[in-house]
């Protein structure tokens, strides 16, 4: 709109099928809007976001010479961009568009009081029209996208995302906290329902990551600082010392053999304490990178310096082992970030009546995965802590899932992995296996068929919650007796078991809250990272350029994690290949004539975007650094800072119109 | 849904940040939870954008209450805008008293994107409280200051 041109506003009230029209009187709202100042045309239509709906707006812009458009429909998070594009395509500045949210904020939350909901919608539309009259044309900001990508977390999701991007020729930094990539999948023996060997399908991908020319792999490392925004993040990574130079270590493992401790006696983290390792170790035989780690807690050379260091003598590479190695904090530049930080399993100590940690017969499902694994502490044999083979095994489902006292959600994978474990135990030991379940959830490709299969194999399924677990002998070291109500038979069951497996659920990582603050994203109440839209933007976050993959977003199985990782990689690729991204231009600016140079704003800016230009002592805002929060605008005593899309005049008029009948025609309240 | 005491339906101007409380309001809509139709939301990028004049202006134009919604401390999308808001809020509460406005009419709540239920609860509480306080009628009071007693 040119200077002095009067606003000509078109208002469109969307029915959204019956979502809005079922509650609000859309016809009367459109009529009401037609009586508001500056409104030239107002209509209601079934689906404004549909092609005919959009065409309606374009046609009105042409025929009625509209220069402002207001659509009263859903949340701006859904269709603000849609209608801005419509405006732009009809020659109107896209920021002459105002969205009014009458669905999420009126129809859906006041469906029990339709009359009041319609009155509220009138207020909201009136405010939108008042605001629209004050809109100003704005030019979009574009930022270039740095082509490198950071992937955080080296489980199957992170591996898949990194490989997809690297294969497309993009530079990838993969940062993993543990000494090796592989994540939880590397701990499993088989995967459901196909019973693929987990290592056989995972390790080739791990090796590919380790060897890929486009991937810089930093294990035993974590992200400590993230600056910048989409297109140009500066990330600081902490690389913990493994006391071995990765570029020199050839992975011969002679140092492990020669360690002054002849026996492995440190509990192996990878084997969940069921197996032992030495102070110098690799987590498991297929670790990537195949570089040893000296554990600073148990290696006496690191801890006290008082060791004869046979490892150094035996090492064939001069300087590969370096007990003087220090933490390093390299900085990298990336344009996009994929978070694949995974999950932790539920800790059954929180439910003491199952006896985990008290009775040696009680295991978690993850521990059993290690017992079943050929490279695990027992070489794949199911042997109990007392050295015996189990003859009767129980598996309790939903430990830490679907439970008011722990987690209300279903962890999605436990039914299936419990059946997999049942199958494998029965196959290897011939034991009787009893599943105690609430409901069996087998909704996936080949899942129900697998359920049928294990039933045919003679695995028992008892529908009922376990009420009590008691030891058979007073010392608690032998079998446990499980009491459960069999709700299908309608009677109580007591079953003595050599082994009780707790099918633990999946939880958000313990430090999910710190991680999400680092990357400026949000967590659900359960601690899982929140996606931008549950259906339509499942890998995006509310922070542009940060994407999600795998269980950090919600519990899911391997196929879903891999699929989501591919989707996250595709989103990053789309940004990189476009080369630039349009940003919302809601940045702040100083009007130099009015600025008194008081410096109030300078320390308020969290991005140090405000400086004082030396010649006249006036504030200047660096638009590349400003992220558009508006803190300085609200604080400026002389009112000389403005914010595009959120100007004072727009907000004052919106507030006034929200409360009062009709704002003064074209004039603001101030 | 809620009993109308005094037959008064208060109007609350809600100044919500784009990243936490606005999304909480959206998600409460998506899950079709019900709360009183008393609020009218103004979307701002950050609670730090809330100029105290917005609040005073809302009362002056006839709002019965003002609700500011922002991210929890430490969770601000812009690092610390919510703290900036908190500082102004504390002062503003005192200013309201000076102006003869009951400070309970202004409320600041940290409501994250996943706390739709908390948002509904706050709106229910505030609506009830404002009903009990009765209409503020500030425009009228400004027009005829001699005719009415101030409440605080």
């Amino acid at each position: 709109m040119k200077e002095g041109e009067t606003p000509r506003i078109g208002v469109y009230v969307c029915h959204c099928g019956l979502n809005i029209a079922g509650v609000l009187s859309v016809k009367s709202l459109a009529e009401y809007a037609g009586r508001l100042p500056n409104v030239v045309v107002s209509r209601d239509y079934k689906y404004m976001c549909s092609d005919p709906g959009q065409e309606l707006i374009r046609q009105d812009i042409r025929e009625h010479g509209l220069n402002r458009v207001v659509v009263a429909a859903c949340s701006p998070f859904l269709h603000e961009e849609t209608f801005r594009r419509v405006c732009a395509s009809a020659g109107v500045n896209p920021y002459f568009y105002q969205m009014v949210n009458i669905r999420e904020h009126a129809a859906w939350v006041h469906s029990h009081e339709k009359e009041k909901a319609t009155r509220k919608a009138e207020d909201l539309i009136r405010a939108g029209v008042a605001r629209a009259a004050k809109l100003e044309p704005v030019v979009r900001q574009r930022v270039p996208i740095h082509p490198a990508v950071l992937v955080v977390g080296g489980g199957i999701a992170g591996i898949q995302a990194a490989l997809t991007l690297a294969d497309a020729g993009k530079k990838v930094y993969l940062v993993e906290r543990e000494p090796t990539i592989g994540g939880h999948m590397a701990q499993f023996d088989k995967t459901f329902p196909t019973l693929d060997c987990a290592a056989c399908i995972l390790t080739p991908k791990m090796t590919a990551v380790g060897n890929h020319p486009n991937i810089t792999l930093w294990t035993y490392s974590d992200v400590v600082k993230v600056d910048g925004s989409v297109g140009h993040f500066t990330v600081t990574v902490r690389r913990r010392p493994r006391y071995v130079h990765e570029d020199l270590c050839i992975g011969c493992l002679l140092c492990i053999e020669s360690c002054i401790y002849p026996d492995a006696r440190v509990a192996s983290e990878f084997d969940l304490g069921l197996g032992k390792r030495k102070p110098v170790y690799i987590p498991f035989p297929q670790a990537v990178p195949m570089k040893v780690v000296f554990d600073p807690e148990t290696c006496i050379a690191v801890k006290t310096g008082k060791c004869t260091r046979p490892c150094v003598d035996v090492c064939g590479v001069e300087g590969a082992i370096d007990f003087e190695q220090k933490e390093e904090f390299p900085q990298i530049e990336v344009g996009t970030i994929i978070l694949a930080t995974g999950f932790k399993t539920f800790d059954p100590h929180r439910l003491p009546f199952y006896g985990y940690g008290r009775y040696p017969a009680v295991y978690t499902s993850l521990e059993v995965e290690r017992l079943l694994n050929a490279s695990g502490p027992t070489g794949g044999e199911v042997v109990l802590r007392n050295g015996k083979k189990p003859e009767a095994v129980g598996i309790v489902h939903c430990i830490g899932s679907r439970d008011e006292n722990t987690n209300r959600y279903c962890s999605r994978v436990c039914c299936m992995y419990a059946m997999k474990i049942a199958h494998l135990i029965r196959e290897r030991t011939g034991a009787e296996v009893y599943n105690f379940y609430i409901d069996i959830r087998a909704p996936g490709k080949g899942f129900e068929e697998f359920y049928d299969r294990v039933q045919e194999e003679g695995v028992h399924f008892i529908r009922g919650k376990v009420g009590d677990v008691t030891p058979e002998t007073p010392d608690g070291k032998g079998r446990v007796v499980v009491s459960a109500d069999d709700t299908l038979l309608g009677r109580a069951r007591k079953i003595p078991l050599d082994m009780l497996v707790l099918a633990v659920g999946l939880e958000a990582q313990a430090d999910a809250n710190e991680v999400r603050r680092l990357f400026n994203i949000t967590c659900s109440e359960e601690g899982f990272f929140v996606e931008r839209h549950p259906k339509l933007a499942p890998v995006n976050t509310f922070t542009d350029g940060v994407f999600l993959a795998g269980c950090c977003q919600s519990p899911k199985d391997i196929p879903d994690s891999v699929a989501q990782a591919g989707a996250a990689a595709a989103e990053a690729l789309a940004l990189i290949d476009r080369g630039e991204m349009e940003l919302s231009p809601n940045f702040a600016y100083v009007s130099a004539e009015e600025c008194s140079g008081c410096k109030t704003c300078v320390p308020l800016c969290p991005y140090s975007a405000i400086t004082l230009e030396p010649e006249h002592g006036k504030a200047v805002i660096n638009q590349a650094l400003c992220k558009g929060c508006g803190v300085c605008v609200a604080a400026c005593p002389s009112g000389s800072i403005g914010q595009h899309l959120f100007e004072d005049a727009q907000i004052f008029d919106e507030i006034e119109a929200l409360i009062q009948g009709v704002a003064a025609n074209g004039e603001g309240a101030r | 849904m809620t009993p109308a005491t005094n037959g008064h339906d208060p109007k609350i101007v809600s100044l919500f940040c784009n990243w936490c409380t606005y999304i909480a309001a959206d998600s409460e809509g998506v899950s079709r939870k019900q709360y009183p139709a008393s609020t009218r939301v103004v979307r701002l990028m950050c609670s730090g954008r809330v100029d105290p004049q917005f609040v005073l202006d809302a009362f002056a134009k006839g709002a019965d209450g003002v609700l500011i919604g922002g991210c929890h401390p430490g969770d601000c999308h812009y690092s610390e805008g919510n703290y900036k808001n908190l500082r102004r809020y504390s002062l503003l509460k005192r200013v309201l008293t000076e102006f003869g406005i009951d400070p309970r009419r202004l409320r600041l709540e940290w409501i994250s994107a996943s706390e739709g239920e908390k948002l509904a609860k706050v709106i229910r509480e505030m609506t009830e409280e404002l009903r009990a306080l009765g209409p503020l009628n500030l425009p009228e009071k400004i027009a005829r200051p001699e005719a009415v007693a101030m409440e605080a």
Side-chain angles (χ1 to χ4, degrees):
Chain A
M1 191 179 77
K2 290 168 206 78
E3 196 81 17
E5 197 180 346
T6 30
R8 294 179 62 80
I9 304 176
V11 180
Y12 301 86
V13 180
C14 181
H15 297 197
C16 195
L18 285 176
N19 281 308
I20 294 172
V23 177
L24 309 179
S25 322
V26 282
K27 294 257 179 266
S28 80
L29 284 174
E31 281 164 25
Y32 176 82
R35 296 196 294 273
L36 293 170
N38 300 316
V39 174
V40 177
V41 56
S42 74
R43 302 180 191 280
D44 61 287
Y45 187 73
K46 205 160 181 134
Y47 291 107
M48 281 312 300
C49 59
S50 67
D51 282 346
Q54 297 184 21
E55 190 47 39
L56 202 61
I57 299 175
R58 284 191 205 99
Q59 204 177 321
D60 282 349
I61 290 175
R62 284 192 298 268
E63 287 178 11
H64 296 274
L66 301 182
N67 52 26
R68 308 290 161 94
V69 173
V70 174
V71 177
C74 50
S75 167
F77 280 101
L78 283 171
H79 281 307
E80 193 170 54
E81 273 309 304
T82 312
F83 294 115
R84 279 189 176 147
R85 278 200 298 271
V86 171
C87 290
S89 71
V92 171
N93 185 291
Y95 296 98
F96 276 152
Y97 169 72
Q98 179 66 38
M99 187 108 204
V100 177
N101 185 348
I102 57 168
R103 193 179 73 171
E104 281 83 346
H105 288 191
W108 278 350
V109 285
H110 311 309
S111 52
H112 298 327
E113 35 186 8
K114 297 184 176 176
E115 182 54 37
K116 282 186 185 171
T118 302
R119 296 288 87 76
K120 174 172 172 177
E122 282 177 358
D123 291 355
L124 294 173
I125 291 172
R126 198 170 59 231
V129 168
R131 201 179 196 284
K134 284 286 160 73
L135 291 176
E136 289 167 8
V138 185
V139 180
R140 288 194 184 217
Q141 241 187 337
R142 288 166 198 269
V143 288
I145 305 290
H146 191 290
V149 185
L150 167 70
V151 178
V152 187
I156 182 60
I159 288 172
Q160 181 72 20
L163 284 176
T164 306
L165 289 160
D167 286 344
K170 308 305 173 198
K171 172 78 202 160
V172 179
Y173 296 92
L174 178 56
V175 176
E176 165 62 47
R177 173 154 64 183
E178 301 298 328
T180 174
I181 56 170
H184 282 96
M185 188 177 170
Q187 293 177 298
F188 305 157
D189 181 48
K190 300 279 191 291
T191 56
F192 64 77
T194 47
L195 299 176
D196 294 92
C197 152
C200 311
I201 53 179
L202 176 65
T203 50
K205 281 186 182 287
M206 291 168 60
T207 317
V209 167
N211 295 333
H212 208 295
N214 291 337
I215 300 180
T216 299
L217 172 61
W218 285 340
T219 55
Y220 217 44
S221 304
D222 34 30
V223 175
V224 290
K225 195 158 180 274
V226 182
D227 288 317
S229 51
V230 57
H232 52 97
F233 292 104
T234 304
V235 180
T236 311
V237 178
R238 178 176 70 130
R239 303 207 60 202
R240 287 190 283 154
R242 60 205 299 158
Y243 304 104
V244 163
H245 289 285
E246 279 184 36
D247 47 342
L248 296 178
C249 173
I250 56 163
C252 68
L253 313 184
L254 282 176
C255 51
I256 302 181
E257 238 170 77
S258 74
C259 178
I260 196 152
Y261 289 106
D263 305 314
R265 42 181 173 173
V266 183
S268 156
E269 295 84 355
F270 192 80
D271 285 333
L272 306 156
L274 293 170
K276 299 275 190 268
R277 61 163 173 83
K278 290 188 179 183
V280 52
Y281 69 103
I282 52 163
F284 67 105
Q286 296 94 349
V288 171
M290 180 58 85
K291 314 285 177 189
V292 298
V293 191
F294 285 85
D295 171 13
E297 295 300 315
T298 50
C299 170
I300 53 173
V302 179
K303 226 174 151 185
T304 65
K306 288 177 189 153
C307 179
T308 56
R309 302 181 182 182
C311 51
V312 179
D313 298 336
V314 80
C315 180
V317 186
E318 181 76 28
I321 300 176
D322 174 8
F323 291 114
E324 302 304 312
Q325 203 176 36
K326 295 277 176 295
E327 271 188 346
E328 285 172 29
F329 293 90
Q331 270 195 353
I332 51 173
E333 300 289 326
V334 297
T336 46
I337 295 172
I338 295 176
L339 294 179
T341 51
F343 65 95
K344 72 172 168 57
T345 49
F346 176 81
D347 176 6
H349 284 105
R350 285 165 59 191
L351 298 172
F353 53 88
Y354 289 113
Y356 179 76
R358 262 185 305 152
Y359 312 136
V362 183
Y363 292 79
T364 67
S365 45
L366 197 55
E367 287 168 344
V368 175
E369 296 279 1
R370 292 311 298 148
L371 292 184
L372 290 165
N373 193 301
S375 68
T378 56
E381 292 211 31
V382 185
V383 186
L384 296 173
R385 290 188 174 99
N386 60 15
K388 289 184 189 156
K389 268 196 172 181
E391 286 169 15
V393 178
I395 305 176
V396 188
H397 292 220
C398 298
I399 303 290
S401 307
R402 305 183 66 199
D403 177 1
E404 290 284 324
N405 300 316
T406 55
N407 296 308
R408 287 171 63 190
Y409 57 87
C410 166
S411 293
R412 281 191 58 189
V413 294
C414 322
C415 281
M416 292 310 298
Y417 80 58
M419 290 192 256
K420 172 193 74 181
I421 287 174
H423 163 85
L424 293 175
I425 290 180
R426 197 154 166 73
E427 184 183 67
R428 300 203 190 157
T429 65
E432 292 299 325
V433 182
Y434 303 87
N435 277 276
F436 301 92
Y437 69 100
I438 309 175
D439 299 291
I440 291 293
R441 298 192 164 172
K445 195 174 180 181
F447 287 15
E448 188 70 19
E449 294 89 326
F450 188 72
Y451 180 28
D452 287 342
R453 174 180 168 180
V454 291
Q455 281 177 299
E456 280 162 21
E457 287 169 357
V459 171
H460 306 283
F461 285 84
I462 297 171
R463 188 173 190 272
K465 276 192 154 179
V466 168
D468 201 14
V469 177
T470 48
E472 205 176 46
T473 51
D475 66 357
K477 297 233 163 87
R479 302 205 294 181
V480 289
V481 181
V482 169
S483 316
D485 279 327
D486 189 327
T487 56
L488 296 180
L489 286 181
R491 63 184 169 93
R493 303 273 301 263
K494 270 187 188 245
I495 304 173
L497 299 167
D498 302 301
M499 182 184 209
L500 184 65
V501 183
L502 304 180
V504 286
L506 275 49
E507 287 189 325
Q509 292 275 19
D511 58 351
N513 243 317
E514 286 91 79
V515 172
R516 65 136 182 140
R517 280 184 187 159
L518 205 53
F519 295 94
N520 206 1
I521 58 169
T522 38
C523 273
S524 68
E525 272 171 83
E526 296 86 16
F528 294 106
F529 299 150
V530 175
E531 64 280 6
R532 194 173 186 111
H533 189 279
K535 277 108 188 159
L536 303 176
V539 301
N540 306 65
T541 66
F542 286 104
T543 298
D544 286 327
V546 178
F547 306 103
L548 304 174
C551 289
C552 63
Q553 182 251 340
S554 78
K556 55 178 67 67
D557 61 11
I558 294 166
D560 284 2
S561 292
V562 170
Q564 205 185 13
E571 291 284 348
L573 275 177
L575 274 183
I576 296 169
D577 281 0
R578 206 186 307 146
E580 60 176 21
M581 184 173 172
E582 286 186 340
L583 289 187
S584 177
N586 54 303
F587 48 83
Y589 60 91
V590 179
S591 115
E593 309 88 77
E594 286 158 41
C595 174
S596 66
C598 73
K599 303 195 192 99
T600 304
C601 53
V602 176
L604 286 178
C605 178
Y607 308 105
S608 309
I610 313 179
T611 47
L612 239 50
E613 52 98 2
E615 201 182 331
H616 302 100
K618 310 246 175 186
V620 184
I621 296 175
N622 181 341
Q623 288 182 358
L625 296 177
C626 174
K627 290 192 189 171
C629 62
V631 163
C632 57
V633 194
C636 177
S638 61
S640 55
I641 308 182
Q643 183 188 10
H644 294 304
L645 308 185
F646 293 90
E647 301 288 3
D648 277 352
Q650 295 163 0
I651 299 166
F652 278 122
D653 279 16
E654 184 178 1
I655 291 173
E656 180 181 26
L658 271 180
I659 314 162
Q660 293 187 346
V662 174
N665 198 353
E667 300 289 316
R670 304 166 58 84
Chain B
M1 204 173 68
T2 28
T5 45
N6 312 331
H8 168 229
D9 273 326
K11 269 193 183 180
I12 305 171
V13 169
S14 300
L15 305 166
F16 287 172
C17 88
N18 184 59
W19 304 104
C20 285
T21 317
Y22 193 89
I23 295 173
D26 274 3
S27 73
E28 205 59 355
V30 172
S31 20
R32 314 296 202 276
K33 301 280 176 58
Q34 302 291 303
Y35 56 81
S38 49
T39 64
R40 310 283 186 267
V41 178
V42 175
R43 182 166 72 118
L44 301 169
M45 292 312 284
C46 178
S47 58
R49 176 67 181 92
V50 175
D51 187 325
Q53 288 188 72
F54 296 165
V55 177
L56 296 176
D57 200 59
F59 285 124
K61 296 287 156 53
D64 296 300
V66 176
L67 172 62
I68 306 169
C71 309
H72 282 268
D75 293 357
C76 176
H77 191 81
Y78 304 103
S79 302
E80 48 199 29
N82 49 359
Y83 289 111
K84 307 284 161 39
N85 176 271
L86 181 62
R87 295 201 313 221
R88 293 175 201 146
Y89 170 77
S90 315
L91 281 171
L92 197 50
K93 281 274 207 186
R94 280 159 56 187
V95 171
L96 287 184
T97 317
E98 300 277 314
F99 283 178
I101 298 169
D102 192 310
R104 283 175 290 175
R105 293 187 182 275
L106 171 64
R107 193 160 163 173
L108 167 66
E109 288 288 342
W110 310 132
I111 299 170
S112 79
S114 60
E115 291 178 324
E117 278 180 41
K118 178 176 179 186
L119 174 73
K121 181 173 158 273
V122 165
I123 293 172
R124 273 193 289 273
E125 279 173 13
M126 199 169 170
T127 305
E128 282 313 305
E129 188 158 57
L130 292 173
R131 273 206 184 111
L133 284 171
L136 177 62
N137 279 340
L138 206 56
E140 202 180 310
K141 288 174 188 171
I142 292 169
R144 300 187 307 126
E146 70 293 342
V148 266
M150 285 299 169
E151 63 183 10

